[in-house]
Every structure is written in structure tokens, then in C-alpha cells.
Short mmCIF file of all heavy atoms in Angstrom, two decimals:
data_model
loop_
_atom_site.label_atom_id
_atom_site.label_comp_id
_atom_site.label_asym_id
_atom_site.label_seq_id
_atom_site.Cartn_x
_atom_site.Cartn_y
_atom_site.Cartn_z
N ASN V 703 -8.71 19.02 -18.27
CA ASN V 703 -8.36 18.10 -19.35
C ASN V 703 -9.27 16.88 -19.26
O ASN V 703 -9.08 16.04 -18.35
CB ASN V 703 -6.91 17.74 -19.31
CG ASN V 703 -6.45 16.91 -20.45
OD1 ASN V 703 -7.26 16.22 -21.13
ND2 ASN V 703 -5.17 16.95 -20.75
N PRO V 704 -10.20 16.70 -20.21
CA PRO V 704 -11.12 15.59 -20.11
C PRO V 704 -10.49 14.22 -20.40
O PRO V 704 -11.07 13.16 -20.14
CB PRO V 704 -12.18 15.91 -21.18
CG PRO V 704 -11.46 16.75 -22.15
CD PRO V 704 -10.44 17.54 -21.35
N ASP V 705 -9.22 14.24 -20.91
CA ASP V 705 -8.56 12.97 -21.21
C ASP V 705 -7.81 12.39 -20.05
O ASP V 705 -7.24 11.29 -20.13
CB ASP V 705 -7.56 13.20 -22.36
CG ASP V 705 -8.27 13.63 -23.62
OD1 ASP V 705 -9.40 13.13 -23.89
OD2 ASP V 705 -7.68 14.42 -24.41
N LEU V 706 -7.75 13.15 -18.93
CA LEU V 706 -7.04 12.71 -17.74
C LEU V 706 -8.02 12.50 -16.60
O LEU V 706 -8.99 13.23 -16.48
CB LEU V 706 -5.95 13.70 -17.37
CG LEU V 706 -4.85 13.83 -18.41
CD1 LEU V 706 -3.88 14.96 -18.03
CD2 LEU V 706 -4.08 12.56 -18.59
N PRO V 707 -7.72 11.55 -15.71
CA PRO V 707 -8.68 11.23 -14.62
C PRO V 707 -8.75 12.33 -13.57
O PRO V 707 -7.82 13.08 -13.32
CB PRO V 707 -8.11 9.93 -14.05
CG PRO V 707 -6.69 9.91 -14.43
CD PRO V 707 -6.56 10.69 -15.67
N VAL V 708 -9.97 12.38 -13.00
CA VAL V 708 -10.21 13.21 -11.81
C VAL V 708 -10.09 12.31 -10.57
O VAL V 708 -10.68 11.23 -10.58
CB VAL V 708 -11.57 13.90 -11.88
CG1 VAL V 708 -11.89 14.69 -10.60
CG2 VAL V 708 -11.69 14.74 -13.13
N MET V 709 -9.38 12.75 -9.56
CA MET V 709 -9.26 11.96 -8.38
C MET V 709 -9.84 12.68 -7.19
O MET V 709 -9.99 13.90 -7.19
CB MET V 709 -7.78 11.60 -8.09
CG MET V 709 -6.88 12.79 -8.00
SD MET V 709 -5.15 12.34 -8.28
CE MET V 709 -4.90 13.17 -9.80
N THR V 710 -10.25 11.93 -6.19
CA THR V 710 -10.73 12.52 -4.94
C THR V 710 -9.64 12.31 -3.92
O THR V 710 -9.15 11.20 -3.67
CB THR V 710 -12.01 11.78 -4.44
OG1 THR V 710 -13.00 11.95 -5.47
CG2 THR V 710 -12.52 12.40 -3.17
N ILE V 711 -9.24 13.42 -3.30
CA ILE V 711 -8.16 13.42 -2.32
C ILE V 711 -8.73 13.66 -0.94
O ILE V 711 -9.56 14.57 -0.76
CB ILE V 711 -7.13 14.55 -2.61
CG1 ILE V 711 -6.72 14.58 -4.07
CG2 ILE V 711 -5.97 14.50 -1.63
CD1 ILE V 711 -5.87 13.42 -4.46
N THR V 712 -8.31 12.86 0.01
CA THR V 712 -8.69 13.03 1.45
C THR V 712 -7.40 13.27 2.22
O THR V 712 -6.53 12.35 2.22
CB THR V 712 -9.46 11.82 2.02
OG1 THR V 712 -10.63 11.62 1.22
CG2 THR V 712 -9.84 12.05 3.43
N ASN V 713 -7.26 14.38 2.85
CA ASN V 713 -6.15 14.68 3.73
C ASN V 713 -6.65 14.75 5.16
O ASN V 713 -7.59 15.48 5.43
CB ASN V 713 -5.48 16.02 3.36
CG ASN V 713 -4.76 15.95 2.05
OD1 ASN V 713 -4.27 14.90 1.65
ND2 ASN V 713 -4.72 17.05 1.30
N GLU V 714 -5.97 14.01 6.06
CA GLU V 714 -6.34 13.97 7.42
C GLU V 714 -5.14 14.45 8.28
O GLU V 714 -3.99 14.11 7.92
CB GLU V 714 -6.76 12.58 7.87
CG GLU V 714 -8.03 12.11 7.20
CD GLU V 714 -8.43 10.72 7.65
OE1 GLU V 714 -7.97 9.73 7.05
OE2 GLU V 714 -9.22 10.64 8.62
N PHE V 715 -5.43 15.11 9.34
CA PHE V 715 -4.40 15.64 10.24
C PHE V 715 -4.78 15.12 11.64
O PHE V 715 -5.77 15.52 12.21
CB PHE V 715 -4.41 17.16 10.22
CG PHE V 715 -4.27 17.71 8.85
CD1 PHE V 715 -5.43 17.96 8.06
CD2 PHE V 715 -3.02 17.99 8.31
CE1 PHE V 715 -5.31 18.45 6.76
CE2 PHE V 715 -2.89 18.49 7.01
CZ PHE V 715 -4.04 18.70 6.22
N LEU V 716 -3.89 14.23 12.15
CA LEU V 716 -4.22 13.56 13.43
C LEU V 716 -3.16 14.00 14.48
O LEU V 716 -1.92 13.93 14.21
CB LEU V 716 -4.13 12.05 13.27
CG LEU V 716 -5.06 11.49 12.16
CD1 LEU V 716 -4.84 9.97 12.03
CD2 LEU V 716 -6.51 11.75 12.48
N ASP V 717 -3.66 14.37 15.66
CA ASP V 717 -2.71 14.72 16.75
C ASP V 717 -2.13 13.46 17.31
O ASP V 717 -2.83 12.46 17.54
CB ASP V 717 -3.49 15.45 17.85
CG ASP V 717 -3.89 16.85 17.49
OD1 ASP V 717 -3.16 17.48 16.71
OD2 ASP V 717 -4.94 17.35 17.98
N THR V 718 -0.82 13.49 17.49
CA THR V 718 -0.12 12.38 18.16
C THR V 718 0.79 12.96 19.21
O THR V 718 0.98 14.17 19.30
CB THR V 718 0.74 11.59 17.13
OG1 THR V 718 1.85 12.40 16.76
CG2 THR V 718 -0.01 11.16 15.90
N SER V 719 1.37 12.11 19.97
CA SER V 719 2.28 12.56 21.07
C SER V 719 3.55 13.21 20.49
O SER V 719 4.20 14.01 21.12
CB SER V 719 2.66 11.43 21.97
OG SER V 719 3.37 10.42 21.24
N GLU V 720 3.87 12.93 19.21
CA GLU V 720 5.07 13.46 18.59
C GLU V 720 4.79 14.65 17.68
O GLU V 720 5.66 15.25 17.09
CB GLU V 720 5.76 12.39 17.76
CG GLU V 720 6.24 11.23 18.64
CD GLU V 720 6.91 10.15 17.80
OE1 GLU V 720 7.20 10.40 16.62
OE2 GLU V 720 7.06 9.07 18.36
N GLY V 721 3.50 15.02 17.54
CA GLY V 721 3.14 16.13 16.67
C GLY V 721 1.88 15.76 15.85
O GLY V 721 0.99 15.06 16.33
N THR V 722 1.82 16.24 14.62
CA THR V 722 0.70 15.96 13.76
C THR V 722 1.06 14.90 12.72
O THR V 722 2.07 15.01 12.04
CB THR V 722 0.28 17.23 13.04
OG1 THR V 722 -0.05 18.24 13.99
CG2 THR V 722 -0.91 17.00 12.14
N LEU V 723 0.22 13.89 12.62
CA LEU V 723 0.37 12.87 11.60
C LEU V 723 -0.48 13.28 10.41
O LEU V 723 -1.67 13.55 10.54
CB LEU V 723 -0.09 11.50 12.13
CG LEU V 723 -0.09 10.36 11.12
CD1 LEU V 723 1.31 10.04 10.61
CD2 LEU V 723 -0.73 9.11 11.74
N PHE V 724 0.14 13.38 9.19
CA PHE V 724 -0.57 13.75 7.99
C PHE V 724 -0.77 12.46 7.16
O PHE V 724 0.13 11.75 6.84
CB PHE V 724 0.29 14.73 7.20
CG PHE V 724 -0.23 15.03 5.83
CD1 PHE V 724 -1.43 15.71 5.63
CD2 PHE V 724 0.52 14.68 4.70
CE1 PHE V 724 -1.90 16.00 4.38
CE2 PHE V 724 0.08 14.99 3.46
CZ PHE V 724 -1.15 15.63 3.29
N ILE V 725 -2.06 12.21 6.83
CA ILE V 725 -2.41 11.06 6.00
C ILE V 725 -3.13 11.62 4.75
O ILE V 725 -4.09 12.35 4.87
CB ILE V 725 -3.35 10.09 6.75
CG1 ILE V 725 -2.65 9.56 8.01
CG2 ILE V 725 -3.74 8.94 5.83
CD1 ILE V 725 -3.60 8.78 8.93
N SER V 726 -2.65 11.19 3.60
CA SER V 726 -3.27 11.61 2.35
C SER V 726 -3.65 10.39 1.51
O SER V 726 -2.84 9.50 1.31
CB SER V 726 -2.29 12.50 1.53
OG SER V 726 -2.92 12.98 0.36
N ARG V 727 -4.91 10.36 1.10
CA ARG V 727 -5.41 9.24 0.28
C ARG V 727 -5.93 9.81 -1.07
O ARG V 727 -6.63 10.82 -1.04
CB ARG V 727 -6.53 8.53 1.00
CG ARG V 727 -6.12 7.79 2.23
CD ARG V 727 -7.30 7.04 2.88
NE ARG V 727 -6.87 6.34 4.07
CZ ARG V 727 -6.92 6.86 5.25
NH1 ARG V 727 -7.30 8.09 5.47
NH2 ARG V 727 -6.50 6.13 6.32
N SER V 728 -5.60 9.10 -2.10
CA SER V 728 -6.12 9.48 -3.43
C SER V 728 -7.00 8.34 -3.96
O SER V 728 -6.58 7.18 -3.97
CB SER V 728 -4.94 9.68 -4.42
OG SER V 728 -4.09 10.70 -3.94
N GLU V 729 -8.18 8.68 -4.34
CA GLU V 729 -9.14 7.68 -4.89
C GLU V 729 -9.35 7.98 -6.38
O GLU V 729 -9.55 9.12 -6.77
CB GLU V 729 -10.46 7.75 -4.17
CG GLU V 729 -10.37 7.44 -2.69
CD GLU V 729 -11.70 7.59 -1.98
OE1 GLU V 729 -12.70 6.98 -2.46
OE2 GLU V 729 -11.75 8.33 -1.02
N PHE V 730 -9.33 6.95 -7.18
CA PHE V 730 -9.56 7.05 -8.61
C PHE V 730 -10.80 6.31 -9.02
O PHE V 730 -11.22 5.36 -8.34
CB PHE V 730 -8.35 6.42 -9.31
CG PHE V 730 -7.05 7.18 -9.03
CD1 PHE V 730 -6.28 6.89 -7.88
CD2 PHE V 730 -6.65 8.21 -9.89
CE1 PHE V 730 -5.12 7.62 -7.65
CE2 PHE V 730 -5.51 8.94 -9.60
CZ PHE V 730 -4.75 8.61 -8.48
N PRO V 731 -11.39 6.70 -10.15
CA PRO V 731 -12.63 6.07 -10.56
C PRO V 731 -12.46 4.60 -10.93
O PRO V 731 -13.41 3.82 -10.84
CB PRO V 731 -13.09 6.89 -11.79
CG PRO V 731 -11.89 7.65 -12.22
CD PRO V 731 -10.99 7.77 -11.04
N ASN V 732 -11.25 4.19 -11.35
CA ASN V 732 -11.01 2.80 -11.70
C ASN V 732 -9.49 2.54 -11.76
O ASN V 732 -8.69 3.49 -11.64
CB ASN V 732 -11.67 2.42 -13.04
CG ASN V 732 -11.23 3.39 -14.13
OD1 ASN V 732 -10.06 3.66 -14.33
ND2 ASN V 732 -12.25 3.90 -14.85
N GLU V 733 -9.14 1.29 -11.91
CA GLU V 733 -7.72 0.91 -11.89
C GLU V 733 -6.96 1.53 -13.10
O GLU V 733 -5.78 1.90 -12.99
CB GLU V 733 -7.56 -0.60 -11.93
CG GLU V 733 -6.14 -1.07 -11.69
CD GLU V 733 -6.04 -2.59 -11.51
OE1 GLU V 733 -7.00 -3.24 -11.12
OE2 GLU V 733 -4.94 -3.08 -11.82
N GLU V 734 -7.63 1.63 -14.23
CA GLU V 734 -6.98 2.23 -15.42
C GLU V 734 -6.61 3.68 -15.16
O GLU V 734 -5.52 4.13 -15.56
CB GLU V 734 -7.90 2.12 -16.65
CG GLU V 734 -8.14 0.69 -17.13
CD GLU V 734 -9.14 -0.07 -16.31
OE1 GLU V 734 -9.99 0.57 -15.64
OE2 GLU V 734 -9.06 -1.34 -16.34
N ALA V 735 -7.46 4.42 -14.50
CA ALA V 735 -7.16 5.86 -14.17
C ALA V 735 -5.98 5.94 -13.24
O ALA V 735 -5.09 6.76 -13.44
CB ALA V 735 -8.37 6.51 -13.56
N LEU V 736 -5.91 5.06 -12.24
CA LEU V 736 -4.78 5.03 -11.35
C LEU V 736 -3.50 4.73 -12.12
O LEU V 736 -2.46 5.43 -11.94
CB LEU V 736 -5.01 3.94 -10.27
CG LEU V 736 -3.79 3.62 -9.38
CD1 LEU V 736 -3.26 4.80 -8.63
CD2 LEU V 736 -4.12 2.48 -8.47
N GLN V 737 -3.51 3.72 -12.96
CA GLN V 737 -2.35 3.36 -13.74
C GLN V 737 -1.86 4.50 -14.62
O GLN V 737 -0.69 4.79 -14.79
CB GLN V 737 -2.57 2.11 -14.56
CG GLN V 737 -1.37 1.54 -15.19
CD GLN V 737 -0.31 1.13 -14.18
OE1 GLN V 737 -0.62 0.60 -13.10
NE2 GLN V 737 0.95 1.37 -14.49
N GLN V 738 -2.82 5.21 -15.23
CA GLN V 738 -2.48 6.36 -16.09
C GLN V 738 -1.72 7.42 -15.32
O GLN V 738 -0.72 7.93 -15.78
CB GLN V 738 -3.76 6.92 -16.71
CG GLN V 738 -3.54 8.08 -17.69
CD GLN V 738 -4.85 8.61 -18.23
OE1 GLN V 738 -5.94 8.32 -17.77
NE2 GLN V 738 -4.73 9.38 -19.29
N VAL V 739 -2.19 7.74 -14.14
CA VAL V 739 -1.54 8.77 -13.34
C VAL V 739 -0.15 8.28 -12.83
O VAL V 739 0.78 9.05 -12.80
CB VAL V 739 -2.49 9.19 -12.17
CG1 VAL V 739 -1.77 10.09 -11.17
CG2 VAL V 739 -3.75 9.86 -12.71
N VAL V 740 -0.07 7.02 -12.46
CA VAL V 740 1.23 6.47 -12.01
C VAL V 740 2.23 6.57 -13.18
O VAL V 740 3.37 7.01 -12.95
CB VAL V 740 1.07 5.01 -11.53
CG1 VAL V 740 2.42 4.35 -11.35
CG2 VAL V 740 0.29 4.99 -10.22
N GLU V 741 1.80 6.21 -14.38
CA GLU V 741 2.72 6.27 -15.54
C GLU V 741 3.16 7.70 -15.86
O GLU V 741 4.19 7.91 -16.48
CB GLU V 741 2.06 5.62 -16.74
CG GLU V 741 1.97 4.11 -16.60
CD GLU V 741 1.18 3.42 -17.68
OE1 GLU V 741 0.67 4.13 -18.63
OE2 GLU V 741 0.96 2.18 -17.61
N MET V 742 2.35 8.68 -15.47
CA MET V 742 2.68 10.09 -15.71
C MET V 742 3.68 10.61 -14.68
O MET V 742 4.14 11.76 -14.76
CB MET V 742 1.39 10.96 -15.65
CG MET V 742 0.43 10.67 -16.77
SD MET V 742 -1.16 11.52 -16.51
CE MET V 742 -0.67 13.20 -16.25
N GLY V 743 4.03 9.79 -13.70
CA GLY V 743 4.99 10.23 -12.68
C GLY V 743 4.40 10.85 -11.43
O GLY V 743 5.10 11.58 -10.69
N ALA V 744 3.14 10.54 -11.16
CA ALA V 744 2.45 11.18 -10.02
C ALA V 744 3.10 10.76 -8.67
O ALA V 744 3.16 11.57 -7.75
CB ALA V 744 0.96 10.82 -9.98
#
């Protein structure tokens, strides 16, 4: 859908003493794209 933003997702899996820590980051092309996705219930 060209009317909705494309995001870049980075998922990291880090070993810790308690197990695996999962970190997920979402990057957007601009603040407006982020706000659009937030308003959609992301």
C-alpha cells in the first residue's frame, strides 16, 4: 500500500543470565509516518 509508511525493523536477541533479552526497534522515514502508524493502533 503506497499510502502507508514502510518501516525498518531491527530485532536483537541478547544472551543474559536470565535467558534471552529480545529488543525490537522500528524506524520510520519521518515523524509523520510514525504518527500515522501510531494512530492506526500499531
Side-chain angles (χ1 to χ4, degrees):
N703 184 336
D705 297 325
L706 296 174
V708 176
M709 57 200 110
T710 301
I711 311 292
T712 302
N713 290 329
E714 295 181 273
F715 307 88
L716 305 174
D717 288 329
T718 71
S719 60
E720 297 177 15
T722 301
L723 175 64
F724 172 66
I725 301 171
S726 184
R727 293 183 180 88
S728 301
E729 297 177 55
F730 296 86
N732 54 50
E733 189 172 335
E734 291 80 22
L736 169 60
Q737 189 61 37
Q738 183 180 14
V739 172
V740 168
E741 289 172 3
M742 292 171 53

